[in-house]
């Protein structure tokens, strides 16, 4: 996990300049927090906040790895797209753009939101790192 100067996670595999500063940052700022029930949550900007509904459903490192594998297979053009549904939120991963929707559960669904697939992958990697950190801090309990 790599941090920006403001303490937010930058990216999983950052690029550095000669001064060893991260030169590639994430497009969408985010933060982790615990809700009143102690559940780990992620805060995203309003224009992509439905992605948090999907990301928060990823409860294990294994599921995060499966999603990252799906992203890789689409970006390697092994598949044209990949649709993943976890509980209610559904993402459709394409090589350049990923969409998220709650349309399957709502009578009057909100519009889809879109994010660059590269940025979506960075968020999944950051979430996976946070899951691993939480697991090691809790010594196997959640």
């Amino acid at each position: 996990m790599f941090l920006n100067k403001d303490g937010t996670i930058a990216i999983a595999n950052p690029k550095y300049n000669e001064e060893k500063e991260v030169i590639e940052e994430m497009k969408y700022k985010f933060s982790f927090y615990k809700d009143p029930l102690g559940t780990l949550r992620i805060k995203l900007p309003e224009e992509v906040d439905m992605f948090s509904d999907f990301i928060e459903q990823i409860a294990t490192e294994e599921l995060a790895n499966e999603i990252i594998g799906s992203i890789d297979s689409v970006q390697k053009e092994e598949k044209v797209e990949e649709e993943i549904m976890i509980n209610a939120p559904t993402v459709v991963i394409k090589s350049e753009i990923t969409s998220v929707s709650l349309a399957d559960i709502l009578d009057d669904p909100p519009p889809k939101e879109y994010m660059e697939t590269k940025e979506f992958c960075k968020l999944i990697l950051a979430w996976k790192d946070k899951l691993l950190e939480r697991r090691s801090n809790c010594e196997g309990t959640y």
Side-chain angles (χ1 to χ4, degrees):
M1 177 168 31
F2 303 95
L3 300 177
N4 294 317
K5 291 179 183 177
D6 65 1
T8 59
I9 295 175
I11 59 173
N13 297 305
K15 294 180 183 175
Y16 296 95
N17 62 16
E18 291 179 14
E19 291 80 34
K20 302 294 183 200
E21 295 175 321
V22 175
I23 58 172
E24 182 181 355
E25 293 187 16
M26 294 189 67
K27 179 176 180 178
Y28 304 101
K29 299 293 181 191
F30 67 94
S31 61
F32 298 109
Y33 67 98
K34 289 189 177 183
D35 68 15
L37 298 174
T39 303
L40 179 64
R41 308 291 303 268
I42 185 169
K43 174 78 173 146
L44 293 170
E46 186 176 340
E47 67 269 18
V48 293
D49 67 350
M50 283 191 341
F51 279 92
S52 66
D53 295 323
F54 179 83
I55 292 168
E56 290 169 354
Q57 298 298 315
I58 302 170
T60 65
E61 176 186 2
E62 293 77 18
L63 182 53
N65 287 336
E66 285 179 35
I67 295 166
I68 293 165
S70 294
I71 294 169
D72 287 343
S73 69
V74 169
Q75 290 187 324
K76 291 177 183 175
E77 298 181 354
E78 297 170 356
K79 299 178 182 177
V80 175
E81 68 180 33
E82 181 81 26
E83 182 175 342
I84 303 171
M85 180 178 187
I86 305 175
N87 291 335
T90 301
V91 294
V92 177
I93 302 165
K94 295 186 179 181
S95 63
E96 297 296 321
I97 297 291
T98 296
S99 65
V100 65
S101 172
L102 299 174
D104 294 341
I105 62 162
L106 300 174
D107 293 332
D108 188 21
K112 289 182 181 180
E113 290 180 356
Y114 299 90
M115 177 185 293
E116 299 82 354
T117 299
K118 180 179 175 182
E119 296 297 316
F120 177 64
C121 188
K122 291 176 190 177
L123 284 172
I124 299 297
L125 288 167
W127 182 258
K128 176 183 162 185
D129 286 346
K130 194 66 172 177
L131 288 175
L132 293 171
E133 176 186 313
R134 181 182 70 168
R135 188 169 83 194
S136 66
N137 288 341
C138 295
E139 301 177 352
T141 60
Y142 295 96

